[in-house]
Amino acid sequence: MHELSIVASVLDQLEEIRKQQPAGARFTKVGLRVGELAGLDVDCLRFGYECSVKDTPWETMALEIEEVPRRQRCPKCANEFRAANWATQCPQCGETETELIAGEELQIAFVEVDE
Amino acid sequence: MSQIVVEKKVLNENQKLAEELRAKFREHKILVVNIISSPGSGKTTLLERTLERLDKGRRVRLLTGDLQTENDAKRLAQWGFPVKQIITGGTCHLDAKMITKHLEDWPLDTFDMLIIENVGNLVCPTSYDLGEHFKIVMLSVTEGEDKPLKYPSIFVRSELMLLSKVDLLPYLSFDAELAKKNARSVHPGMEIIETSSKGNGLDTWIAWLDAKIKAVKSGELVSA
Ligand SMILES: Nc1nc2c(ncn2[C@@H]2O[C@H](COP(=O)(O)OP(=O)(O)OP(=O)(O)O)[C@@H](O)[C@H]2O)c(=O)[nH]1
Ligand SMILES: [Mg+2]
Ligand SMILES: [Zn+2]
């Protein structure tokens, strides 16, 4: 499980951002975007986050995770669709070789600051 | 209360190092493959059979990652090509920093292909870009047909799937066609080669690598 190292990378980047804020600014929430193909378990990530921020200055910062479902695009008919349960075949024209367009995200979307 | 829009990759640091590696590999026209599987799927075994088959003059080098021990590097080194072990000491994946460090004293103009055997783990290595051209996922026939559905991330990101240990198929109820179908439903059009230590697929696999080396040399294959 590498959820802890993922959390560590998030906190490292937030530390950099915090340095650019006025003294005393406090981050109250961080928003992550996690694709269903990111290879991360969201519950593990939440748990890893709680363990990591406990007894640190980040302790009061809430975690918000936006889970991004997998979406595919059909090269034949340009249909874009949600590929639930790995159903990657185009539901409109039957094409099997469709392209991935969303679901691999692993991003820090935003932080909320209390000045 | 105000919001700062960040919009950055979580693994930003790794990504930067991976891009630096990629630029170097591009400059020196080196093909780099990153082989990922569960523990024991047969990565080192296939690489041994591959090296055994290669002409000793070939400019090939290998990095192999494990939590502990130099065993895999020792096995691979027998075949006469330069090999280095990366011991992660508990980390469940290789990252770009480890690759950078272990390449420091290897002049990049002395090889045409770098093969990276990642730590045996089907999940964590997926997230870490090593500057490679291709991730290659190996699935052995003893692991179950449903693995592409249970671990889709690595199958989506891999150019090629090696279905290994096919010499065992007669003794198992593993349905190879179903496994391939599952892989291709997760990753439409995925290339698949069946391999085994008894020699199945070895020619096809080596031809696959040779074609990629050639494409890198000619400039046809450039990783972005
Ligand atoms: N029957 C059979 N056994 C194999 C084959 N390939 C590997 N094995 C056996 O599977 C076991 C694991 O093989 P390794 O090559 O060490 O696997 P690995 O993926 O490198 O393992 P880690 O690096 O520890 O993740 C060994 O006992 C091999 O002898 C194969 O094609 N057929
Ligand atoms: Mg090995
Ligand atoms: Zn279509």
Side-chain angles (χ1 to χ4, degrees):
Chain A
M1 281 297 121
H2 62 309
E3 279 75 6
L4 281 176
S5 55
I6 297 291
V7 172
S9 304
V10 171
L11 297 180
D12 283 349
Q13 287 193 55
L14 292 188
E15 182 57 31
E16 288 308 307
I17 298 169
R18 202 191 51 79
K19 283 182 193 157
Q20 294 154 24
Q21 299 302 309
R26 210 171 52 87
F27 289 179
T28 51
K29 191 196 270 181
V30 57
L32 302 184
R33 198 174 291 128
V34 181
E36 69 176 313
L37 294 171
L40 286 186
D41 184 272
V42 169
D43 292 331
C44 277
L45 192 58
R46 281 187 211 285
F47 182 69
Y49 181 81
E50 270 156 37
C51 298
S52 302
V53 298
K54 194 168 184 317
D55 302 326
T56 78
W58 301 112
E59 186 157 13
T60 52
M61 180 171 68
L63 172 66
E64 183 176 304
I65 298 179
E66 179 196 347
E67 294 180 60
V68 185
R70 178 179 191 166
R71 294 183 65 77
Q72 298 283 120
R73 182 177 187 282
C74 174
K76 287 244 172 77
C77 73
N79 180 27
E80 293 185 3
F81 57 97
R82 159 91 175 102
N85 297 321
W86 327 121
T88 51
Q89 187 172 8
C90 177
Q92 196 161 282
C93 77
E95 170 64 22
T96 52
E97 300 211 0
T98 58
E99 301 150 15
L100 181 83
I101 51 170
E104 293 192 294
E105 297 77 358
L106 179 51
Q107 295 157 348
I108 305 174
F110 66 85
V111 278
E112 280 181 8
V113 199
D114 207 356
E115 279 123 318
Chain B
M1 174 87 72
S2 65
Q3 193 183 74
I4 304 174
V5 176
V6 182
E7 291 299 338
K8 274 201 180 147
K9 287 196 175 166
V10 168
L11 296 172
N12 211 13
E13 273 312 303
N14 187 75
Q15 202 59 40
K16 271 189 226 155
L17 289 173
E19 294 311 335
E20 284 172 27
L21 282 169
R22 188 166 282 117
K24 285 187 195 155
F25 297 145
R26 195 184 304 126
E27 182 190 340
H28 296 280
K29 296 191 159 55
I30 302 171
L31 172 71
V32 183
V33 296
N34 175 5
I35 305 182
I36 297 171
S37 82
S38 307
S41 300
K43 299 179 292 299
T44 310
T45 305
L46 180 73
L47 292 176
E48 281 193 75
R49 297 287 78 79
T50 306
L51 298 177
E52 182 182 13
R53 197 68 83 85
L54 292 184
D55 184 22
K56 294 300 162 252
R58 296 290 298 270
R59 301 175 357 130
V60 174
R61 296 189 179 216
L62 302 96
L63 294 174
T64 180
D66 281 291
L67 300 174
Q68 290 300 344
T69 84
E70 303 251 345
N71 292 350
D72 282 5
K74 282 186 193 140
R75 284 167 61 190
L76 293 167
Q78 299 176 72
W79 305 99
F81 297 90
V83 181
K84 263 195 220 175
Q85 181 76 48
I86 303 180
I87 295 179
T88 64
T91 307
C92 49
H93 56 265
L94 295 178
D95 63 32
K97 196 171 173 183
M98 300 175 194
I99 304 298
T100 306
K101 181 161 167 273
H102 286 81
L103 286 178
E104 261 167 14
D105 58 348
W106 271 0
L108 292 179
D109 51 2
T110 56
F111 51 115
D112 302 320
M113 173 162 68
L114 174 66
I115 301 179
I116 302 170
E117 177 187 341
N118 218 310
V119 179
N121 182 325
L122 211 44
V123 182
C124 310
T126 312
S127 307
Y128 295 82
D129 188 354
L130 306 180
E132 73 275 339
H133 289 84
F134 301 117
K135 288 185 173 59
I136 296 174
V137 62
M138 177 181 272
L139 173 69
S140 69
V141 297
T142 53
E143 292 169 57
E145 301 86 348
D146 58 351
K147 290 304 166 293
L149 306 180
K150 286 191 181 162
Y151 300 90
S153 309
I154 184 58
F155 288 87
V156 166
R157 287 183 176 80
S158 296
E159 176 79 5
L160 171 70
M161 165 168 136
L162 298 169
L163 184 62
S164 65
K165 307 194 187 181
V166 294
D167 57 303
L168 297 177
L169 282 174
Y171 312 103
L172 303 167
S173 52
F174 183 89
D175 182 343
E177 290 315 309
L178 178 59
K180 292 188 210 171
K181 184 171 162 266
N182 287 341
R184 288 188 173 128
S185 73
V186 167
H187 179 162
M190 185 177 208
E191 283 187 83
I192 299 173
I193 302 175
E194 295 186 13
T195 64
S196 87
S197 55
K198 310 287 180 314
N200 299 68
L202 208 52
D203 290 336
T204 316
W205 157 239
I206 292 174
W208 189 93
L209 290 173
D210 280 336
K212 302 298 181 197
I213 292 174
K214 215 171 138 203
V216 168
K217 289 287 162 208
S218 71
E220 202 180 309
L221 175 64
V222 189
S223 66

